[in-house]
């Protein structure tokens, strides 16, 4: 039995920052995640992807951000249960919560914070002939190590932020990058779209619009992709790797059975403190929903800060916060 003040389900960037905010209020946290390491999608899917909207960093690689967060929360000595999936959540007679994992680990806590990102997720796969055949043999749904693409012919498909960002990044790594998009406008950030357009104008990449990848070919490993344009004509491109980036399909898994208010695979929260409809349970980051919700790491950090203030009353119901001084790791006293 592990005992802690706050059990945080999800060890992505939002869950990690929640440890910091709770630590400033003298609360101890334990992080649980099904992935074998902290960092969530940043570490598992795109550790080398540059992130541009973290205050103080014009650009920072995803794994570098995770490392900085780990350094930031280290003084608060959080606990970790990694590589285990949360299966059960039970309210005990004394008002505390019991979190259970698929490996039998039990965590007793006074408040629960769900920071599970998109929950259980898997990449959205396009309808492409022989796609499954070349998975792991040239087809990749995430970029974990950009160096494996050095001096190779890469075809990226998609029109969102990930497709744009990786096109920009890999333009300086790969031998040739071709971005294929079904439309003629992008869903990603306007600045990234402008950079991609400029790379296309200068010949640094090939940009193929109103088109889609329909088939793959090769002998044991991907060698060629077939692209169909709006006119129905097919074009064959030499390709060592095909990277379809159409986002992730979220699945809440066991969370759906916990009695929480769910809207389109996301947990409804009160924006006063990101509490759910169940007392003592909060939801922060991409897993929650509310009017005006933006799925940004920056927003998750903001939600974690407000959540911690209300979680305090569940951890210390008979005490109040007194703000007497401000230092890096000590801004409160209990009264």
């Amino acid at each position: 039995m592990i005992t802690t003040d706050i059990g945080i389900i999800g060890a992505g960037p939002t869950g990690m920052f929640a440890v910091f905010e709770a630590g400033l209020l003298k609360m101890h946290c334990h992080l649980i995640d099904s992935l074998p390491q902290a960092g969530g999608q940043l570490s598992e899917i795109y550790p080398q992807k540059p992130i541009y909207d973290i205050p103080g960093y014009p650009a920072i690689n995803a794994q570098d951000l995770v490392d900085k967060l780990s350094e930031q929360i280290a003084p608060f000595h959080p606990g970790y249960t990694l590589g285990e999936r949360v299966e059960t959540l039970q309210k005990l007679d004394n008002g505390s919560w019991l979190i259970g994992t698929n490996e039998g680990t039990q965590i007793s806590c006074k408040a629960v914070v769900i920071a599970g990102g998109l929950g259980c997720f898997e990449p959205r796969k396009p309808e492409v002939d022989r796609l499954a055949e070349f998975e792991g043999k040239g087809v990749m749904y995430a970029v974990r190590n950009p160096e494996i693409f050095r001096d190779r012919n890469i075809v990226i498909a998609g029109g969102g932020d990930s497709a744009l960002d990786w096109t920009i990044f890999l333009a300086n790594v790969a031998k040739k990058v071709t971005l294929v998009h079904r439309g003629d406008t992008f869903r990603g950030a306007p600045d990234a779209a402008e950079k991609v357009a400029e790379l296309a104008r200068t010949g640094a990449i090939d940009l193929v619009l109103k088109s889609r990848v329909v088939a793959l070919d090769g002998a044991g490993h991907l060698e060629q992709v077939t692209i169909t344009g709006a006119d129905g004509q097919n074009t064959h491109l030499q390709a060592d790797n095909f990277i379809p980036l159409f986002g992730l399909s979220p699945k809440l898994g066991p969370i759906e059975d916990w009695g929480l208010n769910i809207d389109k695979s996301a947990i409804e929260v009160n924006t006063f403190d990101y509490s759910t409809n169940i007392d003592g349970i909060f939801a922060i980051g991409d897993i929650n929903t509310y009017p005006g919700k933006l799925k940004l790491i920056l927003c998750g950090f903001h939600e974690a800060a407000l959540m911690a203030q209300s979680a305090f009353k569940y951890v210390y119901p008979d005490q109040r916060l007194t703000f007497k001084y401000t230092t890096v790791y000590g801004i409160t006293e209990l009264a």
Side-chain angles (χ1 to χ4, degrees):
M1 175 74 70
I2 297 168
T3 301
T4 189
D5 292 328
I6 301 178
I8 302 178
I9 301 171
T14 298
M16 295 176 75
F17 190 70
V19 173
F20 177 78
E21 289 295 328
L24 292 178
L25 302 179
K26 304 185 185 299
M27 295 182 289
H28 184 262
C29 297
H30 191 91
L31 293 153
I32 312 104
D33 203 297
S34 60
L35 297 175
Q37 72 285 317
Q41 295 179 49
L42 298 192
S43 296
E44 180 69 9
I45 299 178
Y46 40 73
Q48 298 303 315
K49 182 179 184 293
I51 300 173
Y52 301 103
D53 58 356
I54 303 300
Y57 291 96
I60 182 170
N61 282 358
Q63 187 58 51
D64 290 340
L65 176 59
V66 171
D67 293 341
K68 291 293 184 182
L69 287 167
S70 295
E71 180 182 347
Q72 185 180 33
I73 66 178
F76 301 113
H77 307 291
Y80 292 90
T81 295
L82 301 175
E84 298 184 25
R85 184 178 62 255
V86 171
E87 294 284 354
T88 60
L89 180 62
Q90 179 184 358
K91 186 71 172 287
L92 302 180
D93 292 339
N94 63 4
S96 64
W97 294 93
L98 187 64
I99 300 171
T101 76
N102 63 315
E103 295 294 331
T105 302
Q106 292 186 320
I107 300 98
S108 174
C109 54
K110 298 174 183 177
V112 175
V113 176
I114 303 174
L118 296 174
C120 302
F121 54 86
E122 58 184 30
R124 292 191 176 99
K125 300 180 181 182
E127 294 185 5
V128 176
D129 188 38
R130 301 182 70 185
L131 181 71
E133 180 180 340
F134 288 104
E135 290 178 344
K137 301 175 183 178
V139 171
M140 308 179 77
Y141 299 103
V143 180
R144 292 183 173 87
N145 178 14
E147 280 302 312
I148 68 174
F149 302 110
R150 185 165 294 280
D151 300 324
R152 298 172 71 85
N153 295 307
I154 310 298
V155 175
I156 298 174
D161 285 316
S162 290
L164 293 172
D165 290 345
W166 280 122
T167 296
I168 295 167
F169 188 91
L170 292 176
N172 297 316
V173 176
K175 178 180 179 181
K176 180 180 180 181
V177 175
T178 301
L179 175 60
V180 182
H181 179 38
R182 292 171 291 189
D184 56 3
T185 59
F186 293 101
R187 303 184 306 278
D191 180 66
E194 290 178 5
K195 289 179 180 178
V196 166
E198 181 60 26
L199 288 171
R201 281 193 292 269
T202 60
I205 67 165
D206 286 344
L207 181 59
V208 184
L209 300 176
K210 295 184 178 181
S211 303
R212 59 191 181 93
V213 175
V214 296
L216 309 177
D217 196 14
H221 193 281
L222 181 65
E223 298 174 0
Q224 178 180 277
V225 304
T226 300
I227 300 172
T228 295
D231 58 2
Q233 297 297 312
N234 288 341
T235 302
H236 305 290
L237 293 182
Q238 180 183 353
D240 300 301
N241 292 95
F242 174 50
I243 311 173
L245 298 172
F246 294 104
L248 301 169
S249 297
K251 295 181 179 179
L252 288 179
I255 294 175
E256 290 183 315
D257 302 323
W258 293 350
L260 297 163
N261 289 342
I262 305 294
D263 180 24
K264 298 178 181 177
S265 296
I267 302 170
E268 295 181 341
V269 293
N270 180 345
T271 53
F272 175 77
D273 57 4
Y274 300 94
S275 57
T276 68
N277 59 299
I278 300 178
D279 284 345
I281 301 180
F282 302 83
I284 58 177
D286 287 354
I287 204 164
N288 74 17
T289 185
Y290 52 86
K293 169 71 177 182
L294 292 176
K295 291 190 176 183
L296 299 175
I297 295 174
L298 180 64
C299 295
F301 291 167
H302 160 79
E303 295 165 12
L306 294 186
M307 173 280 300
Q309 300 293 316
S310 283
F312 180 87
K313 70 179 182 181
Y314 292 95
V315 176
Y316 296 110
D318 299 323
Q319 300 190 53
R320 61 184 177 87
L321 294 175
T322 301
F323 294 88
K324 291 188 175 180
Y325 57 89
T326 300
T327 63
V328 175
Y329 292 120
I331 67 167
T332 63
E333 287 187 355
L334 304 183

